[in-house]
Amino acid sequence: MEFCRSLPKIELHAHINGSISEKTMQELLQKRSQEGSKDPIERWTTTIEKGDKSLDEIFAMFKVIHQISNNTDAAYKITYDIIHEFAEDNVKYVELRTTPRAVPDTGMTKELYLESVLKAIADCEKEDLDIIVKLILAIDRRSDVNIANETVDLAVKYKQISNGKVIGIDLSGDPSVNDARDFIPAFKCARSKGLKLALHLAEVLDQNAETESVLDLPPDRIGHGTFLHPEVGGTESLVAKVKQHKTPLELCLTSNVKGRTVKAFDNHQFKYWYDMGHPCVVCTDDKGVFATSLSKEYKLAAETFDISQQDLYQLSYKAIDHIFDTEDTKAILRQKWCTFAENTFKANIRNLQ
Ligand code: 6MZ
């Protein structure tokens, strides 16, 4: 664990409202009760410390979390705290993702929500945190095409206003709802406007036709991809498309096991793709909901798949190739990793790069 904590890391799949730490949650709940909220929420309804839950139960948890984060102050605090927590965990670059949300009761519009999130990012940037933060806007599968187009417009607008902090579009939300193919025109429009695409695909079984079409885009990265390969109900054709485009996979071990889409850690699709040398990025998904951290995910990967410290370093180093930010940022990050490797492994450095 000590090594995993000290390892510089890249986080590419972190939903803001799923990443709220226990401490932040407690503070938000306390504030709510002080303000006289009549529907007290217990902290355990927002996190799975032990055991597991169905995806249905997990998506019900997000509804509870959204009640707590229903105003701009909360959005600012959550984002600010998450960035500090990732920085403390030695994450040097993070792409947070979030669904623009309006709550008329509190006066929060989608624009005000995004401005609070971006202000938290900008304020953290002024501090000496040693972490680069970018933002991806999420399209919830529950929404319709108009909302998806609106999200793309917001991403384009805030990409400009924030000087490139907003860099991409995500598709997420309850994977059993609606059809991702409906959003393909919105994804194409986003791409034409210079936004990258990080799409949840094959997170549940029996979505081969949908996945097949979306893979033709192709996306810039895939979230989960749990059911792509034939051994678990996917197809050779899906695997071939992912391999052909070398589309990186964002893999979240604890999330998939606690969310019951994968039976046990050693059944995780990480093994299938990692063993064939396909680009894999270890991520947290929802570090608050799943009570994890990126260091814990690296430790889990190392223990489950017997990965040495040097290979773990390689895994984290190669994640730099798959960030959505510029080549300049990649060069800055690679330099940091090289310094870590020089200090940690001393000998055989050349073999590692
Ligand atoms: C799909 C997920 C997810 O956007 O309000 N989200 N979507 N699969 C998952 N695996 C468990 N985990 C989180 O963050 C919360 C939202 O992220 C998506 C869901 O739409 C959830 O409501 P934001 O910041």
Side-chain angles (χ1 to χ4, degrees):
M1 189 61 191
E2 205 184 306
F3 175 79
C4 293
R5 274 195 65 83
S6 68
L7 184 69
K9 292 173 288 292
I10 302 278
E11 170 65 78
L12 298 183
H13 190 128
H15 299 272
I16 289 187
N17 278 285
S19 300
I20 308 173
S21 66
E22 186 179 328
K23 182 171 173 286
T24 304
M25 188 54 82
Q26 253 157 0
E27 288 166 5
L28 290 173
L29 288 175
Q30 205 170 10
K31 189 159 182 277
R32 247 177 96 83
S33 79
Q34 280 162 0
E35 285 165 357
S37 167
K38 292 200 183 72
D39 52 346
I41 294 168
E42 300 287 346
R43 196 190 54 74
W44 55 263
T45 55
T46 65
T47 186
I48 311 167
E49 270 171 33
K50 292 213 174 81
D52 48 35
K53 284 188 189 293
S54 68
L55 276 189
D56 282 351
E57 290 170 305
I58 290 167
F59 284 98
M61 289 171 78
F62 285 121
K63 289 201 179 123
V64 176
I65 295 171
H66 282 154
Q67 281 178 56
I68 299 159
S69 64
N70 66 356
N71 61 84
T72 51
D73 286 352
Y76 177 90
K77 177 178 171 50
I78 290 165
T79 310
Y80 182 90
D81 287 359
I82 290 171
I83 294 169
H84 279 75
E85 288 150 8
F86 276 125
E88 271 163 35
D89 196 28
N90 256 319
V91 173
K92 302 295 179 198
Y93 174 96
V94 57
E95 287 174 13
L96 297 174
R97 58 184 75 190
T98 199
T99 325
R101 192 157 46 99
V103 183
D105 282 356
T106 66
M108 184 166 81
T109 60
K110 289 185 180 183
E111 281 85 354
L112 289 175
Y113 174 71
L114 289 177
E115 282 159 24
S116 302
V117 168
L118 286 165
K119 173 141 186 10
I121 295 174
D123 286 354
C124 289
E125 206 169 54
K126 290 180 204 141
E127 299 175 21
D128 201 11
L129 284 183
D130 195 16
I131 184 169
I132 298 168
V133 185
K134 298 284 162 175
L135 188 66
I136 294 173
L137 300 196
I139 295 171
D140 189 327
R141 293 179 65 108
R142 268 166 302 191
S143 60
D144 59 29
V145 171
N146 290 333
I147 297 176
N149 290 334
E150 190 195 350
T151 307
V152 173
D153 289 345
L154 285 168
V156 173
K157 174 177 166 189
Y158 283 98
K159 178 175 184 258
Q160 241 173 11
I161 295 178
S162 67
N163 211 358
K165 289 269 173 298
V166 177
I167 42 172
I169 287 288
D170 146 285
L171 174 73
S172 54
D174 188 341
S176 59
V177 173
N178 289 341
D179 193 317
R181 281 171 284 196
D182 296 343
F183 302 115
I184 289 177
F187 298 146
K188 286 189 172 161
C189 171
R191 173 165 280 163
S192 75
K193 306 256 167 84
L195 293 158
K196 300 275 190 178
L197 303 175
L199 309 179
H200 284 57
L201 281 180
E203 191 178 356
V204 291
L205 198 56
D206 294 332
Q207 290 185 325
N208 291 349
E210 166 189 300
T211 307
E212 189 90 41
S213 301
V214 179
L215 282 179
D216 284 334
L217 278 162
D220 297 292
R221 293 195 311 251
I222 295 169
H224 302 294
T226 312
F227 295 96
L228 289 168
H229 54 295
E231 289 84 339
V232 289
T235 65
E236 289 294 354
S237 161
L238 295 178
V239 172
K241 282 186 183 176
V242 176
K243 280 169 75 172
Q244 181 198 345
H245 298 293
K246 296 193 175 67
T247 315
L249 291 162
E250 304 156 353
L251 300 172
C252 314
L253 281 92
T254 301
S255 162
N256 296 152
V257 171
K258 286 194 173 177
R260 294 186 197 151
T261 50
V262 172
K263 264 203 201 112
F265 290 116
D266 49 7
N267 293 120
H268 197 276
Q269 67 271 23
F270 177 93
K271 184 168 173 50
Y272 179 89
W273 294 100
Y274 182 73
D275 283 355
M276 71 164 77
H278 189 83
C280 293
V281 186
V282 175
C283 301
T284 53
D285 205 5
D286 300 289
K287 73 178 181 60
V289 168
F290 298 115
T292 190
S293 68
L294 194 52
S295 296
K296 281 191 195 170
E297 296 302 304
Y298 270 82
K299 178 173 177 274
L300 256 174
E303 286 174 352
T304 312
F305 306 108
D306 200 18
I307 303 174
S308 69
Q309 289 193 349
Q310 298 201 346
D311 287 344
L312 219 51
Y313 167 81
Q314 284 291 333
L315 185 62
S316 132
Y317 182 69
K318 283 185 190 151
I320 299 171
D321 296 342
H322 313 305
I323 68 170
F324 286 164
D325 206 12
T326 59
E327 289 304 316
D328 284 352
T329 301
K330 288 180 187 171
I332 292 167
L333 293 169
R334 286 188 186 116
Q335 190 51 51
K336 285 185 186 170
W337 263 247
C338 291
T339 306
F340 169 85
E342 273 160 23
N343 293 335
T344 308
F345 302 117
K346 305 217 165 51
N348 297 327
I349 284 299
R350 282 211 182 81
N351 302 338
L352 283 170
Q353 312 287 291

